[in-house]
Amino acid sequence: MKTFLFELGTEELPADFVGSAIAQWQSLIPKSLGENLLTSETIRVLGSPRRLAVLIAGLPERAEDREEEIKGPPAKAAFKDGQPTKAALGFAKKQGIELEALEIRPTPKGDFVFAKKKNIGRATATILAELVPEWIAKLEGKRFMRWGDGDFRFSRPVRWLAALLDKEIVPVKLENGSETIQSDRLSRGHRVLHPEPISIPQADLYIEKLREAYIETDPLRRQETIQEQVISAAEKIAGFARISPNLLAEVTNLVEWPTAVVGKFDEEFLILPPEVITTVTSVHQRYFPIFKSGEETSELLPYFITVANGDPAKFDIIAAGNERVIRARLADAQFFYKADIAKSLESYVAALEKVTFQEKLGSVREKVERLSKIASFIWEQLELSEAERSQIERAALLCKADLVTQMVYEFPELQGVMGSKYARTSGEGEAVATAIFEHYLPRGEGDRLPETLTGQAVGLADRLDTLVGIFGLGMLPSGSSDPFALRRAANAIVNIIWAADLPLNLHQLIERSAAEFTASFAKAAPELRSQLNDFFLQRVRTLLVEERSIDYDLVNAVLGEDDPEYTERALKDLLDVRDRALFLQSIRNDSTLDQIYETVNRSTRLAKQGTLDTKTLEPSAVVEPAHFQKSCEQAFYDALLELVPKTQAAREQRDYQKLVAALAEIAPTVSTFFDGADSVLVMDPNPEIQSNRLNLLGLLRNHARVLADFGPIVKG
């Protein structure tokens, strides 16, 4: 068995592209080999800032032989009176087989001629030489570039190719205008520590030879090395490094031979909020900040750790250079901080008039006014106290004020964080200060949600204002295009309501917010409300399926399919729709749903042929016992009378287990109505009898609809 090495050498690649390209090749290459009948034992995709590589072990000398069956012309066209026609002769010649090897077989479209061919597998080296350029061309990334006089595009200029099958060079060629890069066995070592070319004698020695040249090609090993060195370096200065996974991944793909270097900054900078220092160090400089302990404390030590890719003998110079950079950045931050806190946070609100939120929606100051109005709708629904209303009103006014501070202008990542800090230095209450930070939560997938009622209310109002405004302008998200992150905003609204168990009527909030928008911007409110309702329903549907693991048909059952009544119910009470979906999933999982499924589903299907509305529960108003012809009808009617108080109690208490138990209790009676010895024909020729029986079924359907519309539920 053979080992194949391919290395694509480039100028320094962006860190995010290295990780992305490795992941793409891990998916693409095994599939590509399989399509070309090449088996392998292991496939390792490697990469560093100046190279992407793949090592494939256990390859055969040649691809597998393949038998291929090819359909030819119809038999009646291929043979006349038992003799082959030109069609048969031409087909055999084209396939390279003898005429006698043709077979006639029946197909759904009649008899056809077939040929069996055995294709001898091609040499592995030949196949790989063809596949490698495809692997390169199929890589995707942001901001690909051209260089030289060619049209070839890649993340960075390609400088060399190395391709070996065991010891032999595989001829891979990459053309870019007048430049042609051909593969050989030469790679490149570390720019500083080993600038000379490296000759790779055979493919399976690649990793070893690169390490001799101070290149660690295995990203997982580089990452482990960095993590170990950073932790060890922090311990030596009696500190603790909290290693962010995102920062660790980025640094891993910025260096080829990592070495942790400790740097120091002046202690006077520790008066800055810790978030400022960690933003400067981690986000802008890609340094690891050092904390006093591993506990959830924000106390920092005046040190940082950078991961160098240079000469270990020059650590002092590397540290000094990084210290100069961080000193300048922190000095700027200190200046911004002192200038910002010289004024109250409220004094910045007026300047928001000069900051555009969206061209047609006006300034951020106008947005603050709109979200404050929506916040008032929220506290009215929640029936909050005057003190709570006052806190929400104040937080809404100040929530965007830090956008015009010098610190946030320089470090936009700190919006909300600095607003919260400046609120405290301005004497605002803790609830207001916390809400200014929390109203931005969640900031992305996996982020935490706001925990305080004030932060939740302002965050909901902010996002709802954005959704209403952007939808009102007709700028709905389409496909993957969502420049205002409206899907994320709607997801956040639903998740905040669910996580905090907020008894909010989202349908009413949308209606009132849309009406306010219409009054200010002269847009058509009915269409706007409809679009927003549909959008939120889709988000609820997606969240229930993807985040709550609810089966799709059960989600359809609680949301309704083309059912305005159910749609409105879902948006009026998101807590109820969540709980009903979770409950349905639980009774499916424990098979309780099976006890009522047949009865309710059959009744639901037949009830559609009647005229009964979907809300009535009381039998006496819509069923006439005088029209009963069999005892099973009376038994069904009596059972429905007993069901009414149980259903009402289940609905009021939101105890759907009581409803399911009651439906299970009535199931035998309904089964007798359908299939017992004394069963009835529902669609009786007599219109009055038929209507009476359909109403019985419609009532049962309505009781079940308190939990779900059983029509969309698929039997498990």
Side-chain angles (χ1 to χ4, degrees):
M1 304 302 281
K2 294 182 173 292
T3 299
F4 175 65
L5 158 71
F6 173 67
E7 182 187 61
L8 174 71
T10 67
E11 297 292 344
E12 272 74 2
L13 296 164
D16 59 348
F17 178 73
V18 176
S20 169
I22 289 173
Q24 289 179 64
W25 270 5
Q26 286 171 337
S27 172
L28 169 67
I29 292 176
K31 182 180 178 182
S32 174
L33 294 176
E35 289 172 348
N36 286 272
L37 303 179
L38 283 177
T39 59
S40 63
E41 294 174 0
T42 61
I43 301 174
R44 292 183 67 183
V45 182
L46 309 167
S48 75
R50 294 175 64 209
R51 69 203 73 228
L52 297 170
V54 58
L55 269 175
I56 307 173
L59 285 166
E61 184 81 34
R62 311 184 71 84
E64 296 176 359
D65 294 342
R66 177 176 58 183
E67 275 201 352
E68 187 178 8
E69 190 173 85
I70 303 166
K71 183 180 178 183
K76 61 183 180 181
F79 293 92
K80 295 285 187 181
D81 301 325
Q83 297 299 312
T85 65
K86 289 183 178 180
L89 295 170
F91 178 64
K93 182 178 180 181
K94 181 179 179 182
Q95 303 306 323
I97 61 174
E98 297 296 327
L99 189 65
E100 293 75 16
L102 295 179
E103 299 179 15
I104 297 177
R105 295 186 198 166
T107 75
K109 294 184 178 181
D111 292 348
F112 275 77
V113 173
F114 285 82
K116 275 188 177 180
K117 290 175 60 179
K118 184 173 183 180
N119 295 319
I120 305 300
R122 295 189 299 155
T124 296
T126 302
I127 297 172
L128 291 171
E130 295 172 359
L131 291 182
V132 168
E134 293 180 14
W135 298 346
I136 300 170
K138 288 183 179 179
L139 285 175
E140 298 177 352
K142 297 180 290 186
R143 297 182 294 277
F144 272 23
M145 60 182 291
R146 291 195 296 263
W147 66 96
D149 59 357
D151 293 326
F152 182 77
R153 298 172 64 90
F154 199 65
S155 181
R156 292 295 183 270
V158 176
R159 296 307 187 205
W160 74 89
L161 304 174
L164 295 176
L165 188 61
D166 284 346
K167 297 181 179 181
E168 300 299 318
I169 295 173
V170 176
V172 176
K173 185 167 61 175
L174 194 63
E175 295 184 350
N176 184 35
S178 61
E179 179 185 11
T180 299
I181 305 173
Q182 295 190 348
S183 60
D184 54 28
R185 64 176 69 250
L186 296 179
S187 181
R188 309 290 186 273
H190 193 283
R191 283 194 186 276
V192 176
L193 304 176
H194 195 292
E196 303 84 8
I198 312 156
S199 179
I200 304 169
Q202 61 188 58
D204 57 8
L205 295 178
Y206 172 71
I207 294 176
E208 176 187 334
K209 297 299 291 184
L210 268 288
R211 282 178 184 155
E212 290 175 4
Y214 302 98
I215 302 291
E216 176 52 69
T217 58
D218 185 344
L220 291 178
R221 182 158 172 174
R222 273 202 318 279
Q223 181 169 294
E224 291 170 359
T225 300
I226 291 169
Q227 190 162 0
E228 291 169 1
Q229 289 186 5
V230 169
I231 291 172
S232 176
E235 289 174 349
K236 289 177 182 177
I237 52 177
F240 182 85
R242 292 185 200 154
I243 300 177
S244 158
N246 290 339
L247 178 58
L248 178 60
E250 183 177 15
V251 171
T252 296
N253 290 326
L254 286 173
V255 296
E256 295 193 303
W257 194 253
T259 308
V261 178
V262 177
K264 193 175 189 307
F265 58 83
D266 297 338
E267 291 191 25
E268 67 177 275
F269 293 127
L270 291 175
I271 66 166
L272 287 168
E275 294 89 346
V276 174
I277 297 175
T278 55
T279 297
V280 171
T281 54
S282 301
V283 178
H284 289 264
Q285 299 304 129
R286 302 184 182 92
Y287 302 156
F288 293 91
I290 308 301
F291 292 83
K292 285 188 175 181
S293 74
E295 301 172 0
E296 287 301 315
T297 174
S298 59
E299 288 188 87
L300 289 160
L301 291 174
Y303 295 97
F304 62 88
I305 297 174
T306 183
V307 178
N309 191 40
D311 186 349
K314 298 179 180 178
F315 279 0
D316 291 343
I317 297 173
I318 294 171
N322 284 282
E323 287 171 354
R324 283 195 299 272
V325 173
I326 200 69
R327 186 181 302 114
R329 298 288 282 173
L330 290 176
D332 287 345
Q334 187 177 51
F335 173 81
F336 301 145
Y337 182 67
K338 290 179 178 179
D340 288 343
I341 62 174
K343 299 192 296 182
S344 70
L345 183 61
E346 186 176 6
S347 68
Y348 291 99
V349 172
L352 293 174
E353 295 176 357
K354 299 178 181 178
V355 181
T356 301
F357 167 61
Q358 198 279 337
E359 183 182 3
K360 295 181 180 179
L361 295 176
S363 68
V364 175
R365 180 70 183 95
E366 290 171 299
K367 176 177 175 60
V368 166
E369 291 175 0
R370 293 193 303 270
L371 75 86
S372 296
K373 185 68 175 179
I374 297 173
S376 73
F377 301 156
I378 292 171
W379 79 52
E380 287 174 12
Q381 281 196 20
L382 297 176
E383 300 180 350
L384 301 182
S385 67
E386 284 300 322
E388 290 170 320
R389 294 183 179 200
S390 177
Q391 290 170 352
I392 292 173
E393 186 174 32
R394 187 67 176 168
L397 174 67
L398 300 176
C399 67
K400 305 296 183 184
D402 65 346
L403 296 180
V404 289
T405 62
Q406 294 189 58
M407 184 72 79
V408 174
Y409 180 83
E410 184 69 19
F411 303 110
E413 307 90 344
L414 291 173
Q415 65 179 6
V417 173
M418 298 315 300
S420 181
K421 302 290 183 185
Y422 293 156
R424 293 185 178 92
T425 62
S426 299
E428 301 291 341
E430 183 59 31
V432 172
T434 300
I436 291 171
F437 166 69
E438 283 192 336
H439 94 282
Y440 283 109
L441 301 178
R443 292 160 296 193
E445 188 175 353
D447 196 14
R448 62 193 179 99
L449 298 170
E451 297 177 1
T452 68
L453 181 57
T454 309
Q456 291 157 1
V458 178
L460 291 172
D462 182 24
R463 291 175 175 86
L464 192 52
D465 169 70
T466 298
L467 283 158
V468 170
I470 301 302
F471 267 70
L473 297 178
M475 300 168 66
L476 282 65
S478 60
S480 61
S481 176
D482 188 8
F484 290 92
L486 301 182
R487 294 187 184 95
R488 190 171 69 190
N491 286 350
I493 287 174
V494 175
N495 278 326
I496 289 170
I497 290 173
W498 281 349
D501 286 327
L502 297 175
L504 285 169
N505 183 333
L506 182 59
H507 187 272
Q508 185 186 84
L509 283 176
I510 291 171
E511 188 168 300
R512 296 186 69 181
S513 302
E516 286 288 325
F517 179 84
T518 301
S520 301
F521 294 90
K523 292 287 179 178
E527 181 183 356
L528 174 56
R529 288 197 298 268
S530 174
Q531 290 172 340
L532 285 166
N533 287 338
D534 291 345
F535 187 68
F536 270 104
L537 270 177
Q538 183 56 50
R539 303 330 300 160
V540 171
R541 192 181 303 276
T542 300
L543 291 172
L544 286 173
V545 172
E546 295 183 358
E547 295 189 5
R548 301 293 177 127
S549 301
I550 309 297
D551 295 340
Y552 77 93
D553 61 320
L554 301 185
V555 173
N556 291 338
V558 296
L559 294 181
E561 292 183 317
D562 300 320
D563 190 334
E565 178 187 330
Y566 248 53
T567 295
E568 188 171 323
R569 178 185 175 186
L571 293 179
K572 282 183 175 179
D573 196 339
L574 289 177
L575 303 184
D576 182 59
V577 81
R578 174 201 63 189
D579 293 345
R580 287 188 291 124
L582 290 169
F583 177 70
L584 273 177
Q585 188 66 56
S586 71
I587 64 173
R588 166 171 278 178
N589 293 345
D590 66 14
S591 300
T592 304
L593 183 60
D594 295 341
Q595 299 173 20
I596 63 172
Y597 174 81
E598 290 292 350
T599 300
V600 175
N601 191 267
R602 189 174 181 183
S603 300
T604 298
R605 291 199 311 270
L606 281 169
K608 290 180 180 179
Q609 301 183 51
T611 58
L612 183 65
D613 64 63
T614 56
K615 292 184 178 179
T616 301
L617 299 178
E618 179 59 54
S620 59
V622 294
V623 176
E624 180 52 65
H627 295 314
F628 292 160
Q629 293 186 321
K630 296 190 177 182
S631 60
C632 65
E633 294 174 274
Q634 184 67 52
F636 195 170
Y637 180 78
D638 293 341
L640 286 171
L641 287 173
E642 294 179 7
L643 184 59
V644 172
K646 297 176 183 178
T647 299
Q648 291 173 339
R651 179 164 56 188
E652 291 167 5
Q653 301 165 17
R654 291 191 181 177
D655 186 349
Y656 296 111
Q657 184 61 56
K658 288 182 178 179
L659 176 59
V660 169
L663 291 172
E665 189 177 339
I666 199 177
T669 301
V670 182
S671 295
T672 300
F673 176 83
F674 281 129
D675 303 315
D678 195 34
S679 63
V680 302
L681 175 66
V682 175
M683 305 306 290
D684 191 275
N686 185 320
E688 292 181 333
I689 295 173
Q690 180 188 114
S691 177
N692 222 36
R693 291 171 179 172
L694 286 173
N695 283 351
L696 286 170
L697 297 174
L699 287 165
L700 180 62
R701 172 203 63 195
N702 293 355
H703 282 269
R705 275 172 66 91
V706 171
L707 171 60
D709 176 4
F710 275 64
I713 297 179
V714 179
K715 186 174 182 180

